[in-house]
Every structure is written in C-alpha cells, then in structure tokens.
Amino acid sequence: MSIDEIIYRMLSARIFKNREKLRPDYVPEYLPHREAEINKLAEILAPAVRGVRPSNVFIYGLPGTGKTAVTKYVLRKIETYARNYSQDVKLKVAYINCRNENTSYRVLFNLCNYLNERVPFTGLSTAELFRRFIGALDKEKNLLFVVLDEVDFLVKVSGDDVLYKLTRINPDLHNAKVSIIGITNDLKFVEYLDPRVKSTLGEEELVFRPYTTEELADILADRAKQAFYEGVLDEAVIPLCATLAAREHGDARRALDLLRVAGEIAEREGSPKVLEDHARKAYREIEKDRAVEVIRSMPIHTKLITIAAYLVRRRKSEATTGEIYETYRSLCKKLMIDELTQRRVSDIINELDMLGIVNAKVVSKGRYGRTKIVNLAISEKALVEGLKNDLRLSTLILADSI
Ligand SMILES: Nc1ncnc2c1ncn2[C@@H]1O[C@H](COP(=O)(O)OP(=O)(O)OP(=O)(O)O)[C@@H](O)[C@H]1O
Ligand SMILES: [Mg+2]
C-alpha cells in the first residue's frame, strides 16, 4: 500500500463519528448500572452544597469498575450546585492521581497549586509544605475535597504519612474544612493500610463490584452510539467485546478499549463496517500488549521462571514443574545469582498461572503419581518484547541450549 492510499483510506473512512468518546478519561453524561453507587456517594457528599463537611470516603473495587468516573461525575454535580447555592463557603475539588504524584512532596505541591500558593518544585521539607498548604487553605471559608485516586501508589512509594496528616487536618483549621476521598483497586492494600488511617479515611466505604457481561454490553452500546457512525457496528461486535472483557472480571475499560481498537483495525483495513473478526483481532492485540507489560514489570526470578518454562517447552512437548525448576537453576548459575527454593518457584508458577502468563494443570501419571504440566500462555513474540529492555535475559532466550 502506498502512502497516498493509506491517507486516502483514512480520509474516506466513515467509522468513527467521535473517537474521543471511547477514551478512558472521558466521563460520559450517563453511567448505566452505577445508579446505586452514584446515589450512595451523592448522599455522602451532598452536605457540601450547604457548606457542611462530608465524611471522608474510601472507595475500592477492581480495575475498570467505574470508580474514577463515578467520583468525577458526582463531584461535578456537587460543584455546580455549590456554586449556585452556597454563598459563604467556597467549594473546591483537588483531584490528584497518585500514580503520577506518588510522593508526599508532590501531593502537597499539587494541593498548594490548587490553592494558588506558589511553592518551589523541590527543596522544602514536607512539614514546611504542609504548613504552607494549611496557611493558604485556612485564609478563607474553603471546603476542599481532596481526591486521592489510585492512592495505593502514594502509600507504596512514600508511606502513609501524608494520608495520616490529611485525614487529621480538620482540628487545626479555623475557617476551612477538608474531606478526603481515597480510591484504590488494590484490595490487598486495604488490608495493609495502617488501622488508624483506615478508620479515618474509611468513615464511609464504597465497594464497586465488577460488571456482568450484560452490563458491559449496555455500557458499550451507550458509548458506541456517540462514538460510531450509525450502522457501522456489526451487531455481533458489542456482545463479543463485552464477553471478552468479562473473561477475568467485568472491566469497562477493557471493554471500551476492545471496541475502540476494533474500530481502528476496521479503519486501517479500509472496511466499511466493524466486524466480529476486528474485535477478535483487537483482543489479540490488547492481550499481547498486556502480557508485555506484565512481563516487563516482573521481578527477576519471576522472569527467569517464565523463560525456563519457555525453554523447556521448546525442547519437548510437555514441561513439568520439576523440569522448569532444573532449567531455572541453570539460568541462575549462568547469571551468577542465588536461586529460590523449589517450593517458592512452585508458588511463583501458580502466580503466573493466575496472571495468565502460563497455563498449569495437574495430570495423573499412573503409578508415578500426579504431576503439574506447565505451558506458556503467551506468544514468544510477547515474551521477547517484554524482556527487550534487559539484554542479559533476552540473550537467554536466543541461546538454544542451556
Ligand atoms: N457505568 C459506566 N457507564 C459508562 N462508562 C463507564 C461506566 N463505568 C466505567 N465506565 C468507563 O470505563 C472506563 C473505566 O472506568 P474508570 O476509569 O472509572 O474505572 P476505575 O474503577 O477508576 O478503574 P481503575 O481502578 O483502573 O482506575 C472509563 O472510560 C469510564 O468512563
Ligand atoms: Mg480509576
């Protein structure tokens, strides 16, 4: 295909009316199947429109269950009402995504910025930053919502010091008030949180459950109407995207990504319609990217075990955990690092199974008892791509005998 053809195809494509409506950070006007959560959160936060401080809220649930969208949606409404009805108290919303702002300093720096308090980008102590923040905040009758989205990142990187201070700030304020909304999809994090922080942050708690396949289909149908030209989507596409996105847990982000990528593939191929096959291709593309991401972020031993599983399977048709362990040990020797115990390796293989990187199944071998057979569940391409940044490890795959 020539460049003119590529561009011509794009120009003549009539697939997306408005692609932006499928982007993950777009907050739609209507959030199907979250009425109960929206109402509950609105009930908790509504006192703000009369200048009364709402309880802190802790929101958790698996990825893509609408936590961020619902929170932004409800706060937007509350802000609008407060602007019209609450004369003496100024309502402010500081939304901070802790995936990016993952240190105490950055969080406080952002909070000062919201209040137009100029502070240096680095160099002050966090105690000083905190003083400046309180000073700026307490100048007026402010009611500040601090939304700490993906708050587990902050706590993992910098501990829960800021969280602790922020949840106990109100007694030190004379004019202003603060409500904290913490959001996380890391359910383990909730258990690890300091009980004192957990109890003040979790004055109110909201749990978002995963969507069902049917619910995902409704969500997609609603967004698709805004995003695609009429009649462009084959009727099998939405149910398929919903089913594929519900495989692990009902994740609306995955569902929307699938639909968007399916549309993009159809567009690239110059197809006038988005078909089932485009959705399947989108699934493979997204799965590969996800596997690459998972591999990239794995600790070294987990990477080595994955490589070992791959190498054993390249030699023979079945790989047992014992064989993987032996290969893993020789890889460790080669790299001169200490190996983990067989027990630990076996645990890691189970984790890899849960992540969808390998498939493990126990089979009975007659009088030799039961043994576990392990298969790599991802493509060689994804494995190579995921290890690309680590030269030592990627050469291990290329070497054909260990
Ligand atoms: N009920 C819904 N109706 C329409 N769109 C939705 C709904 N729930 C979620 N979405 C959309 O799905 C995507 C993911 O939702 P959101 O970002 O709120 O998930 P989340 O629970 O915050 O996930 P994470 O834990 O990964 O941050 C967003 O594009 C959002 O607009
Ligand atoms: Mg979110």
Coordinates of all heavy atoms in Angstrom, one line a residue, residues 130-209:
F130 N 3.4 21.4 54.2 CA 2.2 21.2 54.9 C 1.7 22.5 55.6 O 0.5 22.8 55.5 CB 2.3 20.0 55.9 CG 1.0 19.4 56.2 CD1 0.4 18.5 55.3 CD2 0.4 19.6 57.4 CE1 -0.8 17.9 55.5 CE2 -0.9 19.0 57.7 CZ -1.4 18.1 56.7
R131 N 2.6 23.2 56.2 CA 2.3 24.5 56.9 C 1.8 25.5 55.8 O 0.8 26.1 56.1 CB 3.5 25.0 57.6 CG 3.5 24.8 59.1 CD 4.5 25.7 59.8 NE 5.9 25.4 59.3 CZ 6.7 24.4 59.7 NH1 6.2 23.5 60.6 NH2 7.9 24.3 59.3
R132 N 2.5 25.5 54.7 CA 2.0 26.5 53.7 C 0.6 26.1 53.1 O -0.2 27.0 52.9 CB 3.0 26.5 52.5 CG 4.4 26.8 52.9 CD 4.9 28.1 52.2 NE 6.3 28.2 52.4 CZ 7.1 28.6 51.4 NH1 6.7 28.8 50.2 NH2 8.4 28.7 51.7
F133 N 0.4 24.8 53.0 CA -0.9 24.4 52.5 C -2.0 24.8 53.5 O -3.0 25.4 53.1 CB -0.8 22.8 52.3 CG -2.2 22.2 52.1 CD1 -3.0 22.6 51.1 CD2 -2.6 21.2 53.0 CE1 -4.3 22.0 50.9 CE2 -3.8 20.6 52.9 CZ -4.7 21.0 51.8
I134 N -1.7 24.5 54.7 CA -2.8 24.9 55.7 C -3.0 26.4 55.7 O -4.1 26.9 55.8 CB -2.3 24.4 57.1 CG1 -2.4 22.9 57.2 CG2 -3.2 25.0 58.2 CD1 -2.3 22.2 58.5
G135 N -1.9 27.1 55.7 CA -2.0 28.6 55.7 C -2.9 29.1 54.5 O -3.8 29.9 54.7
A136 N -2.6 28.6 53.3 CA -3.4 29.0 52.1 C -4.8 28.6 52.3 O -5.7 29.3 51.9 CB -2.7 28.5 50.9
L137 N -5.0 27.4 52.7 CA -6.4 26.8 52.8 C -7.2 27.6 53.8 O -8.4 27.8 53.6 CB -6.2 25.4 53.2 CG -7.5 24.6 53.4 CD1 -8.2 24.4 52.0 CD2 -7.2 23.2 53.9
D138 N -6.6 27.9 54.9 CA -7.4 28.5 56.0 C -7.6 30.0 55.9 O -8.3 30.6 56.8 CB -6.7 28.1 57.4 CG -7.7 27.8 58.5 OD1 -8.8 27.6 58.2 OD2 -7.3 27.9 59.7
K139 N -7.1 30.6 54.8 CA -7.3 32.0 54.6 C -8.8 32.3 54.5 O -9.3 33.4 54.8 CB -6.6 32.5 53.4 CG -5.2 33.0 53.6 CD -4.7 33.6 52.3 CE -3.2 33.3 52.3 NZ -2.7 33.1 50.9
E140 N -9.5 31.4 53.9 CA -11.0 31.7 53.6 C -11.8 30.5 54.1 O -11.3 29.5 54.5 CB -11.2 31.7 52.0 CG -10.5 32.9 51.4 CD -10.8 32.7 49.9 OE1 -10.1 31.8 49.2 OE2 -11.6 33.5 49.3
K141 N -13.1 30.7 54.0 CA -14.0 29.6 54.3 C -14.1 28.6 53.2 O -15.1 28.5 52.5 CB -15.4 30.1 54.6 CG -15.6 30.7 56.0 CD -17.0 30.8 56.3 CE -17.2 31.1 57.8 NZ -18.6 31.2 58.1
N142 N -13.0 27.8 53.0 CA -13.0 26.8 51.9 C -13.5 25.5 52.4 O -13.2 25.1 53.6 CB -11.5 26.6 51.4 CG -11.0 27.8 50.7 OD1 -11.7 28.3 49.8 ND2 -9.8 28.3 50.9
L143 N -14.2 24.8 51.5 CA -14.4 23.4 51.8 C -13.7 22.6 50.7 O -14.1 22.7 49.5 CB -15.9 23.1 51.8 CG -16.3 21.6 51.8 CD1 -15.6 20.9 53.0 CD2 -17.8 21.5 52.0
L144 N -12.6 21.9 51.0 CA -11.8 21.3 50.0 C -12.0 19.8 49.9 O -11.8 19.1 51.0 CB -10.3 21.7 50.2 CG -9.3 21.0 49.3 CD1 -9.4 21.6 47.9 CD2 -7.9 21.2 49.8
F145 N -12.3 19.3 48.8 CA -12.3 17.9 48.6 C -11.0 17.5 48.0 O -10.5 18.0 47.0 CB -13.4 17.5 47.5 CG -14.7 17.3 48.0 CD1 -15.7 18.2 47.6 CD2 -15.1 16.3 48.9 CE1 -17.0 18.0 48.1 CE2 -16.3 16.2 49.4 CZ -17.3 17.0 49.0
V146 N -10.3 16.6 48.7 CA -9.0 16.1 48.2 C -9.3 14.7 47.7 O -9.6 13.8 48.5 CB -7.9 16.1 49.2 CG1 -6.6 15.5 48.7 CG2 -7.7 17.5 49.8
V147 N -9.3 14.5 46.4 CA -9.5 13.2 45.8 C -8.1 12.6 45.5 O -7.3 13.1 44.8 CB -10.2 13.2 44.5 CG1 -10.5 11.8 44.0 CG2 -11.5 14.0 44.6
L148 N -7.8 11.5 46.2 CA -6.5 10.8 46.0 C -6.8 9.5 45.3 O -7.2 8.5 45.9 CB -5.8 10.5 47.4 CG -5.4 11.8 48.1 CD1 -5.0 11.4 49.5 CD2 -4.3 12.5 47.4
D149 N -6.8 9.6 43.9 CA -7.1 8.4 43.1 C -5.9 7.5 43.0 O -4.7 8.0 43.0 CB -7.6 8.9 41.7 CG -8.4 7.8 41.0 OD1 -8.5 6.7 41.5 OD2 -9.0 8.2 39.9
E150 N -6.1 6.2 43.0 CA -5.0 5.2 42.9 C -4.0 5.5 44.1 O -2.8 5.5 43.9 CB -4.3 5.2 41.6 CG -5.3 5.2 40.4 CD -4.8 4.7 39.1 OE1 -4.1 3.7 39.1 OE2 -5.1 5.3 38.1
V151 N -4.6 5.7 45.2 CA -3.9 6.1 46.4 C -2.8 5.1 46.9 O -1.8 5.4 47.5 CB -4.8 6.5 47.6 CG1 -5.7 5.3 48.0 CG2 -4.1 7.1 48.7
D152 N -3.0 3.8 46.5 CA -2.0 2.8 46.8 C -0.6 3.1 46.3 O 0.4 2.8 47.0 CB -2.5 1.4 46.3 CG -3.0 1.5 44.9 OD1 -4.0 2.2 44.6 OD2 -2.4 0.8 44.0
F153 N -0.5 3.8 45.2 CA 0.8 4.2 44.6 C 1.5 5.1 45.6 O 2.7 5.0 45.8 CB 0.7 4.9 43.3 CG 0.4 3.9 42.2 CD1 -0.8 3.5 41.8 CD2 1.5 3.4 41.5 CE1 -1.0 2.5 40.8 CE2 1.3 2.4 40.4 CZ 0.0 2.0 40.1
L154 N 0.7 6.1 46.1 CA 1.3 7.0 47.1 C 1.9 6.3 48.3 O 3.0 6.5 48.7 CB 0.3 8.1 47.5 CG 0.7 9.0 48.7 CD1 1.8 9.9 48.3 CD2 -0.5 9.8 49.1
V155 N 1.1 5.4 48.9 CA 1.4 4.7 50.1 C 2.6 3.8 49.9 O 3.5 3.7 50.7 CB 0.2 4.0 50.7 CG1 0.6 3.2 51.9 CG2 -0.9 5.0 51.1
K156 N 2.6 3.1 48.7 CA 3.7 2.2 48.4 C 5.0 2.9 48.3 O 6.1 2.4 48.7 CB 3.4 1.4 47.1 CG 2.5 0.2 47.4 CD 2.2 -0.5 46.1 CE 0.8 -1.2 46.2 NZ 0.1 -1.3 44.9
V157 N 5.0 4.1 47.7 CA 6.2 4.8 47.4 C 6.7 5.6 48.7 O 7.8 5.7 49.0 CB 6.1 5.7 46.2 CG1 7.3 6.6 46.0 CG2 5.9 4.9 44.9
S158 N 5.7 6.3 49.3 CA 6.1 7.2 50.4 C 5.5 6.9 51.8 O 5.6 7.8 52.6 CB 5.7 8.6 50.0 OG 6.1 9.0 48.8
G159 N 4.8 5.8 51.9 CA 4.2 5.5 53.2 C 2.9 6.3 53.4 O 2.5 7.0 52.5
D160 N 2.3 6.2 54.6 CA 1.0 6.8 54.7 C 1.0 8.0 55.6 O 0.0 8.5 56.1 CB 0.0 5.8 55.3 CG 0.5 5.1 56.6 OD1 1.5 5.7 57.2 OD2 -0.1 4.1 57.0
D161 N 2.2 8.7 55.7 CA 2.4 9.9 56.5 C 1.4 11.0 56.1 O 0.7 11.6 56.9 CB 3.8 10.3 56.4 CG 4.2 11.3 57.5 OD1 3.7 11.0 58.6 OD2 4.8 12.3 57.2
V162 N 1.4 11.3 54.8 CA 0.6 12.4 54.3 C -0.9 12.1 54.5 O -1.7 13.0 54.9 CB 0.8 12.7 52.8 CG1 -0.1 13.7 52.3 CG2 2.2 13.1 52.6
L163 N -1.2 10.9 54.2 CA -2.6 10.4 54.3 C -3.0 10.6 55.8 O -4.1 11.1 56.1 CB -2.6 9.0 53.9 CG -3.9 8.4 53.3 CD1 -4.3 9.3 52.2 CD2 -3.7 7.0 52.8
Y164 N -2.1 10.2 56.7 CA -2.4 10.3 58.1 C -2.7 11.8 58.5 O -3.7 12.1 59.1 CB -1.3 9.7 58.9 CG -1.5 9.7 60.4 CD1 -2.4 8.8 61.0 CD2 -0.8 10.7 61.2 CE1 -2.6 8.8 62.3 CE2 -1.1 10.7 62.6 CZ -1.9 9.7 63.1 OH -2.2 9.8 64.5
K165 N -1.8 12.7 58.0 CA -1.9 14.1 58.4 C -3.1 14.7 57.7 O -3.8 15.5 58.4 CB -0.6 14.8 57.9 CG 0.6 14.6 58.7 CD 1.6 15.7 58.6 CE 2.8 15.5 59.4 NZ 4.0 15.2 58.5
L166 N -3.4 14.3 56.5 CA -4.5 14.9 55.8 C -5.9 14.5 56.4 O -6.8 15.3 56.6 CB -4.6 14.5 54.3 CG -3.6 15.3 53.4 CD1 -3.6 14.7 52.0 CD2 -4.0 16.8 53.3
T167 N -5.9 13.3 56.9 CA -7.2 12.8 57.5 C -7.4 13.4 58.9 O -8.5 13.3 59.4 CB -7.3 11.3 57.6 OG1 -6.1 10.8 58.2 CG2 -7.5 10.7 56.2
R168 N -6.3 14.0 59.4 CA -6.5 14.6 60.8 C -6.3 16.1 60.8 O -6.0 16.7 61.8 CB -5.4 14.0 61.7 CG -6.0 12.7 62.3 CD -4.9 11.7 62.6 NE -5.5 10.4 62.4 CZ -5.9 9.7 63.4 NH1 -5.8 10.1 64.6 NH2 -6.5 8.5 63.1
I169 N -6.5 16.7 59.6 CA -6.2 18.1 59.5 C -7.3 19.0 60.1 O -7.0 20.1 60.6 CB -6.0 18.4 58.0 CG1 -5.3 19.8 57.8 CG2 -7.3 18.4 57.2 CD1 -4.9 20.0 56.3
N170 N -8.5 18.6 60.1 CA -9.6 19.5 60.5 C -9.5 20.2 61.8 O -9.8 21.4 61.9 CB -10.9 18.8 60.3 CG -11.3 18.7 58.8 OD1 -11.4 19.7 58.1 ND2 -11.4 17.4 58.3
P171 N -9.1 19.5 62.9 CA -9.0 20.3 64.1 C -8.0 21.5 64.1 O -8.1 22.4 64.9 CB -8.4 19.2 65.1 CG -8.8 17.9 64.5 CD -8.8 18.1 63.0
D172 N -7.0 21.4 63.1 CA -6.1 22.5 63.0 C -6.6 23.7 62.2 O -5.9 24.7 62.0 CB -4.8 22.1 62.4 CG -4.0 21.1 63.3 OD1 -4.3 21.2 64.5 OD2 -3.3 20.2 62.8
L173 N -7.8 23.5 61.6 CA -8.3 24.6 60.7 C -9.3 25.4 61.4 O -10.1 24.9 62.2 CB -8.9 23.9 59.5 CG -7.9 23.1 58.6 CD1 -8.7 22.3 57.5 CD2 -6.9 24.0 57.9
H174 N -9.3 26.7 61.2 CA -10.3 27.6 61.8 C -11.4 27.9 60.9 O -12.6 28.0 61.3 CB -9.6 28.9 62.3 CG -8.5 28.5 63.3 ND1 -8.8 28.0 64.5 CD2 -7.2 28.6 63.1 CE1 -7.6 27.8 65.1 NE2 -6.6 28.1 64.3
N175 N -11.1 28.2 59.6 CA -12.1 28.6 58.6 C -12.5 27.5 57.6 O -13.6 27.4 57.2 CB -11.6 29.8 57.8 CG -11.3 31.0 58.7 OD1 -12.1 31.3 59.5 ND2 -10.1 31.5 58.5
A176 N -11.4 26.8 57.2 CA -11.6 25.8 56.1 C -11.9 24.4 56.7 O -11.8 24.1 57.9 CB -10.4 25.8 55.3
K177 N -12.4 23.6 55.8 CA -12.6 22.2 56.1 C -12.1 21.3 54.9 O -12.1 21.7 53.8 CB -14.1 21.9 56.3 CG -14.7 22.6 57.5 CD -16.2 22.6 57.4 CE -16.8 23.7 58.2 NZ -18.1 24.2 57.6
V178 N -11.7 20.1 55.3 CA -11.2 19.2 54.2 C -12.0 17.8 54.3 O -12.2 17.3 55.4 CB -9.7 18.9 54.4 CG1 -9.2 17.9 53.4 CG2 -8.9 20.2 54.2
S179 N -12.4 17.3 53.2 CA -12.9 15.9 53.1 C -12.0 15.2 52.1 O -11.6 15.7 51.1 CB -14.3 15.9 52.4 OG -15.2 16.1 53.4
I180 N -11.6 13.9 52.5 CA -10.7 13.1 51.7 C -11.6 12.0 51.0 O -12.4 11.4 51.6 CB -9.7 12.4 52.5 CG1 -9.0 13.4 53.5 CG2 -8.6 11.8 51.6 CD1 -8.0 14.3 52.9
I181 N -11.3 11.9 49.7 CA -11.8 10.7 49.0 C -10.7 9.9 48.5 O -9.9 10.4 47.7 CB -12.7 11.2 47.8 CG1 -13.9 12.0 48.3 CG2 -13.3 9.9 47.1 CD1 -14.7 12.7 47.2
G182 N -10.5 8.7 49.1 CA -9.4 7.8 48.6 C -10.0 6.7 47.7 O -11.0 6.2 48.0
I183 N -9.3 6.5 46.6 CA -9.7 5.4 45.7 C -8.6 4.4 45.4 O -7.5 4.9 45.2 CB -10.2 6.1 44.4 CG1 -11.2 7.2 44.6 CG2 -10.7 5.0 43.4 CD1 -11.6 7.9 43.3
T184 N -8.9 3.2 45.4 CA -7.9 2.2 45.0 C -8.5 1.0 44.4 O -9.7 0.6 44.7 CB -7.0 1.7 46.2 OG1 -6.0 0.9 45.8 CG2 -7.9 1.0 47.3
N185 N -7.7 0.3 43.5 CA -8.2 -1.0 43.0 C -7.4 -2.1 43.6 O -7.5 -3.3 43.1 CB -8.1 -1.0 41.5 CG -6.7 -0.8 40.9 OD1 -5.7 -1.2 41.6 ND2 -6.6 -0.2 39.8
D186 N -6.5 -1.8 44.5 CA -5.6 -2.8 45.1 C -6.3 -3.3 46.4 O -6.1 -2.6 47.5 CB -4.3 -2.2 45.3 CG -3.3 -3.2 45.8 OD1 -3.7 -4.3 46.3 OD2 -2.1 -2.9 45.8
L187 N -6.9 -4.4 46.4 CA -7.7 -4.8 47.5 C -6.8 -5.3 48.7 O -7.1 -5.2 49.8 CB -8.7 -5.9 47.2 CG -9.6 -5.6 46.0 CD1 -10.7 -6.6 45.8 CD2 -10.3 -4.2 46.2
K188 N -5.6 -5.7 48.3 CA -4.6 -6.1 49.3 C -4.2 -4.9 50.1 O -4.0 -5.0 51.3 CB -3.4 -6.8 48.7 CG -3.6 -8.2 48.4 CD -2.2 -8.9 48.4 CE -2.2 -10.2 47.6 NZ -1.8 -9.9 46.2
F189 N -4.0 -3.8 49.4 CA -3.5 -2.6 50.0 C -4.4 -2.2 51.2 O -4.0 -1.7 52.2 CB -3.5 -1.5 48.9 CG -3.6 -0.1 49.5 CD1 -2.4 0.5 49.9 CD2 -4.8 0.6 49.5 CE1 -2.4 1.8 50.4 CE2 -4.8 1.9 50.0 CZ -3.6 2.5 50.4
V190 N -5.7 -2.4 51.0 CA -6.7 -2.1 52.1 C -6.3 -2.7 53.4 O -6.4 -2.2 54.5 CB -8.1 -2.4 51.6 CG1 -9.1 -2.0 52.7 CG2 -8.4 -1.8 50.3
E191 N -5.9 -4.0 53.3 CA -5.5 -4.7 54.5 C -4.2 -4.2 55.1 O -4.1 -4.2 56.3 CB -5.3 -6.2 54.1 CG -6.6 -6.9 53.7 CD -6.3 -8.2 53.0 OE1 -5.2 -8.8 53.2 OE2 -7.2 -8.6 52.2
Y192 N -3.3 -3.8 54.2 CA -2.0 -3.3 54.8 C -2.1 -1.9 55.4 O -1.2 -1.5 56.1 CB -0.9 -3.4 53.7 CG -0.6 -4.7 53.2 CD1 -0.5 -5.0 51.9 CD2 -0.5 -5.8 54.1 CE1 -0.2 -6.3 51.4 CE2 -0.2 -7.1 53.7 CZ -0.1 -7.3 52.4 OH 0.2 -8.6 52.0
L193 N -3.1 -1.2 55.0 CA -3.1 0.2 55.5 C -3.2 0.3 57.0 O -3.8 -0.5 57.7 CB -4.4 0.8 54.9 CG -4.5 2.3 54.8 CD1 -3.3 2.8 53.8 CD2 -5.8 2.7 54.1
D194 N -2.4 1.2 57.6 CA -2.4 1.4 59.0 C -3.8 1.6 59.5 O -4.6 2.4 59.0 CB -1.6 2.7 59.2 CG -1.5 3.0 60.7 OD1 -2.4 2.8 61.5 OD2 -0.4 3.5 61.1
P195 N -4.2 0.8 60.5 CA -5.6 0.8 61.0 C -6.1 2.2 61.4 O -7.3 2.6 61.2 CB -5.6 0.0 62.3 CG -4.3 -0.8 62.3 CD -3.3 -0.1 61.3
R196 N -5.2 3.1 61.9 CA -5.6 4.5 62.2 C -6.0 5.2 61.0 O -7.0 6.0 61.0 CB -4.5 5.2 62.9 CG -4.2 4.7 64.3 CD -2.9 5.3 64.8 NE -1.9 5.2 63.8 CZ -0.7 5.8 64.0 NH1 -0.4 6.6 65.0 NH2 0.2 5.7 63.0
V197 N -5.2 5.1 59.9 CA -5.5 5.8 58.7 C -6.8 5.2 58.1 O -7.7 5.9 57.6 CB -4.4 5.6 57.6 CG1 -4.8 6.3 56.3 CG2 -3.1 6.3 58.2
K198 N -6.9 3.8 58.1 CA -8.0 3.2 57.5 C -9.3 3.6 58.2 O -10.3 3.9 57.5 CB -7.9 1.7 57.7 CG -8.9 0.9 56.9 CD -8.5 -0.6 56.9 CE -9.5 -1.4 56.0 NZ -10.9 -1.5 56.6
S199 N -9.3 3.8 59.5 CA -10.6 4.2 60.2 C -11.0 5.6 59.9 O -12.1 5.9 59.7 CB -10.5 3.9 61.7 OG -9.6 4.8 62.3
T200 N -10.0 6.5 59.8 CA -10.4 7.9 59.5 C -10.7 8.1 58.0 O -11.7 8.8 57.6 CB -9.3 8.9 59.8 OG1 -8.0 8.4 59.6 CG2 -9.5 9.4 61.3
L201 N -9.9 7.4 57.1 CA -10.2 7.6 55.7 C -11.5 6.8 55.4 O -12.3 7.3 54.6 CB -9.1 6.9 54.9 CG -9.2 7.0 53.4 CD1 -9.3 8.4 52.9 CD2 -8.0 6.3 52.8
G202 N -11.7 5.7 56.1 CA -12.9 4.9 55.7 C -14.1 5.3 56.6 O -14.9 4.4 57.0
E203 N -14.3 6.5 56.9 CA -15.5 6.9 57.7 C -16.7 6.4 56.9 O -17.7 5.9 57.5 CB -15.6 8.4 57.8 CG -14.7 9.0 58.8 CD -14.7 10.6 58.8 OE1 -15.1 11.2 57.8 OE2 -14.2 11.1 59.8
E204 N -16.6 6.5 55.6 CA -17.6 5.8 54.8 C -16.9 5.0 53.8 O -15.8 5.4 53.3 CB -18.4 6.9 54.0 CG -19.3 7.7 54.8 CD -20.6 7.1 55.2 OE1 -20.9 6.0 54.8 OE2 -21.4 7.7 56.0
E205 N -17.4 3.8 53.4 CA -16.7 3.0 52.5 C -17.7 2.6 51.3 O -18.9 2.4 51.6 CB -16.2 1.7 53.1 CG -15.0 1.9 53.9 CD -14.4 0.5 54.4 OE1 -15.1 -0.5 54.2 OE2 -13.4 0.6 55.0
L206 N -17.1 2.5 50.1 CA -18.0 2.2 49.0 C -17.2 1.1 48.2 O -16.1 1.3 47.9 CB -18.1 3.4 48.1 CG -19.5 3.8 47.6 CD1 -20.4 4.1 48.8 CD2 -19.4 5.0 46.7
V207 N -17.9 0.0 47.9 CA -17.2 -1.1 47.1 C -17.9 -1.2 45.8 O -19.1 -1.2 45.7 CB -17.4 -2.4 47.9 CG1 -16.6 -3.5 47.1 CG2 -16.9 -2.3 49.3
F208 N -17.1 -1.1 44.7 CA -17.6 -1.3 43.4 C -17.3 -2.7 42.9 O -16.2 -3.2 42.9 CB -16.9 -0.3 42.4 CG -17.4 1.1 42.5 CD1 -17.5 1.7 43.7 CD2 -17.7 1.8 41.4 CE1 -18.0 3.0 43.8 CE2 -18.2 3.1 41.4 CZ -18.3 3.7 42.7
R209 N -18.4 -3.4 42.6 CA -18.2 -4.8 42.1 C -18.1 -4.8 40.6 O -18.5 -3.8 39.9 CB -19.4 -5.6 42.5 CG -20.7 -5.0 42.1 CD -21.9 -5.9 42.1 NE -23.0 -5.1 41.5 CZ -23.2 -4.9 40.2 NH1 -22.4 -5.5 39.3 NH2 -24.1 -4.1 39.8

